[in-house]
Amino acid sequence: MNADVDDIGAGSGGRPRVRTAAGVVEGRTGADGTAVFRGIPYAAPPVGALRFAAPAPPPAWDGVRQATAFGPTAPKVPYAAPFATLLADPEIPGDDCLSVNVWTPDPAPGARLPVMVWIHGGALTRGSSAVPVYDGSAFARDGVVLVSLNYRLGVLGYGLFPDAPANRGLLDQIAALHWVRDNIEAFGGDPARVTVFGESAGAISIGSLLAAPRAAGLFARAVLQSGAPEVLPREKVRTMVRRMASLLKVEATAEAFTAIGMRDLLAAQGAVLRRSGALLGGPAFGLVSDPATVPGDPLDALAGAGVSGDVPLLLGWTSEEYRLWLAPTGALRLLGRLGPLAVTLGRLRADKDRAAVRTLRAALPGAGAAELAGHLLTDRLLRDPLRRLAGARRPAPSFLYEFAWPSGVPGLGACHALELGFVFDTLGVPETSWLAGPDAPQALADEMHAAWVRFAVTGDPGWAAWNGEGPPKRFDGPSAGRAEAAWATRPALP
């Protein structure tokens, strides 16, 4: 892995080299002239005594470390069918999973380019920076240094123990942001112009980063895609750990779980995940309120005065988030058979009154019971809290968007995570079509990707900041000739 250092800037064969705080890394130059460095450790491997500890600094190395391949992914269980056919989630074995990747158009100090840091989704139990849809080449092509990162997942990152720090996955993300602050200038980035962006669990994480004192000053702008600031009741997270402990026949402590082999630990985690129901409020792995990391409810803190009020926000959702959660499993058909009962259950779960249901029916006159219930759940999880955050009295502006283009995969509509290939401008990546289907409109990717770049560069994505009323900016694009075309013409929901 290591070799002698000749010089910084270019190694053998013109390969780009950069000196980080821990040592020199050598990447690759793409056909478009941008440089990419993969698998750079920002923290020590979380093994042995570090399995449930706060992230420790990475060990330094001599010579040149090859940074040409993604590092190991965090230990996780795979997506179950049918989600595994819709969401790519590569698994790369190894212990050194706390790493970052950097795409840059100019790997040299002094370029002072804007930086975007991507935090992946996956319900805090799956996902990684190695997902092909998250390739950062288009951002580098457009003058942005793109950083993506891995963090601990599931019980390793979010299990709640009496003898370990809480929210370890969030601590990993903060450690990665410290790495960006201390090293990104050497890759051509400006540590004072960092935008964090994430989707689903990544956006939920950013909600907590905005409220976390340890993350203050580490980024200047934030994008939350289909995820709102939240913390789970501690008892819900403890329940997951206790269920695992019961299966493993050990105490529910970090010390006991450290002695369990990773294969057995993941098998127990997979078993409890199959019995959990986070969508309906059941036990789950997630962030919790904790004095050392996230004091109090992050949404309450951000909606108040003084917490990250100087950070411009870009916030949004897809029109039919719920279809990814419910359609592939047949749950949407089941809700449809329940008829009015499904609407009532959705209303109660969303804490809505009957007037809200009438308003929803007026906005979606052709919607069935299952669709209405799905929109009510989406309101509860995403639209209502993100609107509350955008409407908070804060000095910095907030910009709202809605992604409304329907997938070419039958039944998915404008579902959760569909916008990712458009944001990254990776419609040509085969894995993007798993969710989007064939013939996704490149013009829509051009528009959406440009808005994210513009926000990172200027703090303004190209439309008016939200003033507390009116529809969000709508991304829909062409959909003629598609069975789902009628969905794309519906107005933004109130």
Side-chain angles (χ1 to χ4, degrees):
M1 177 168 55
N2 294 332
D4 292 334
V5 179
D6 343 286
D7 62 321
I8 303 301
S12 58
R15 294 170 181 165
R17 286 183 175 177
V18 169
R19 185 181 298 279
T20 73
V24 176
V25 293
E26 182 175 277
R28 290 290 186 272
T29 301
D32 59 356
T34 62
V36 58
F37 302 80
R38 296 181 173 94
I40 307 171
Y42 67 82
V47 296
L50 295 179
R51 179 182 277 187
F52 294 100
W61 59 85
D62 296 323
V64 177
R65 182 184 182 109
Q66 293 300 305
T68 57
F70 288 113
T73 52
K76 58 190 173 180
V77 295
Y79 283 113
F83 297 107
T85 64
L86 298 171
L87 303 170
D89 195 14
E91 183 175 349
I92 304 172
D95 294 329
D96 208 355
C97 63
L98 300 183
S99 64
V100 296
N101 317 293
V102 181
W103 286 261
T104 175
D106 189 0
R112 311 295 289 186
L113 298 170
V115 180
M116 297 188 75
V117 178
W118 171 248
I119 302 178
H120 69 80
L124 300 177
T125 56
R126 297 174 176 92
S128 77
S129 62
V131 173
V133 179
Y134 307 153
D135 185 278
S137 299
F139 283 103
R141 175 200 68 200
D142 294 333
V144 173
V145 179
L146 191 285
V147 180
S148 61
L149 61 98
N150 291 341
Y151 55 95
R152 279 174 285 183
L153 304 169
V155 70
L156 299 169
Y158 300 95
L160 194 55
F161 297 97
D163 54 341
N167 300 327
R168 293 172 300 280
L170 190 75
L171 291 175
D172 293 343
Q173 295 166 14
I174 293 172
L177 288 170
H178 277 281
W179 184 93
V180 170
R181 182 197 62 190
D182 297 340
N183 294 279
I184 206 62
E185 186 174 357
F187 292 85
D190 185 348
R193 300 170 68 196
V194 173
T195 299
V196 290
F197 71 128
E199 185 266 348
S200 193
I204 292 170
S205 298
I206 291 171
S208 285
L209 290 171
L210 284 162
R214 292 189 185 191
L218 294 178
F219 53 89
R221 297 170 186 135
V223 184
L224 282 72
Q225 301 173 213
S226 299
E230 69 171 21
V231 286
L232 298 182
R234 297 174 73 91
E235 189 59 28
K236 286 188 177 182
V237 182
R238 283 197 186 100
T239 297
M240 298 295 280
V241 173
R242 289 169 181 159
R243 287 179 177 179
M244 287 185 63
S246 177
L247 291 173
L248 295 165
K249 296 180 170 52
V250 298
E251 295 293 320
T253 65
E255 180 181 11
F257 274 44
T258 298
I260 301 296
M262 189 60 69
R263 184 188 299 272
D264 291 338
L265 196 68
L266 290 179
Q269 176 174 297
V272 300
L273 285 173
R274 286 191 293 272
R275 292 159 45 199
S276 67
L279 182 62
L280 298 177
F285 292 114
L287 291 152
V288 297
S289 177
D290 170 65
T293 48
V294 188
D297 183 289
L299 183 57
D300 288 344
L302 295 170
V307 178
S308 292
D310 59 340
V311 178
L313 302 177
L314 175 56
L315 314 165
W317 50 80
T318 70
S319 295
E320 297 173 300
E321 298 272 2
Y322 64 92
R323 286 189 172 271
L324 181 65
W325 309 327
L326 302 177
T329 62
L332 204 58
R333 291 193 300 273
L334 175 61
L335 284 174
R337 288 197 293 269
L338 292 177
L341 178 59
V343 179
T344 299
L345 292 173
R347 179 177 67 81
L348 295 175
R349 175 71 181 101
D351 195 23
K352 298 278 189 177
D353 58 20
R354 288 180 174 83
V357 176
R358 288 194 294 271
T359 300
L360 185 61
R361 288 187 187 277
L364 301 172
E371 190 171 3
L372 292 172
H375 279 298
L376 289 167
L377 288 172
T378 303
D379 283 346
R380 167 70 174 80
L381 295 172
L382 295 174
R383 283 190 283 257
D384 290 348
L386 287 175
R387 280 197 178 97
R388 180 187 172 200
L389 178 56
R393 301 178 65 181
R394 52 196 314 276
S398 295
F399 303 89
L400 280 183
Y401 76 89
E402 178 178 307
F403 183 84
W405 180 83
S407 169
V409 177
L412 289 185
C415 69
H416 189 67
L418 181 59
E419 88 284 4
L420 292 172
F422 296 83
V423 168
F424 278 87
D425 192 10
T426 51
L427 297 187
V429 171
E431 288 82 357
T432 299
S433 67
W434 294 7
L435 201 62
D439 304 321
Q442 181 60 47
L444 183 56
D446 293 342
E447 180 189 9
M448 199 169 197
H449 175 75
W452 264 238
V453 170
R454 190 181 302 113
F455 182 72
V457 174
T458 69
D460 181 347
W463 61 89
W466 201 58
N467 63 3
E469 58 185 30
K473 160 67 178 178
R474 187 174 170 89
F475 292 100
D476 46 22
S479 58
R482 300 261 298 284
E484 293 86 353
W487 292 346
T489 62
R490 287 179 176 161
L493 293 176

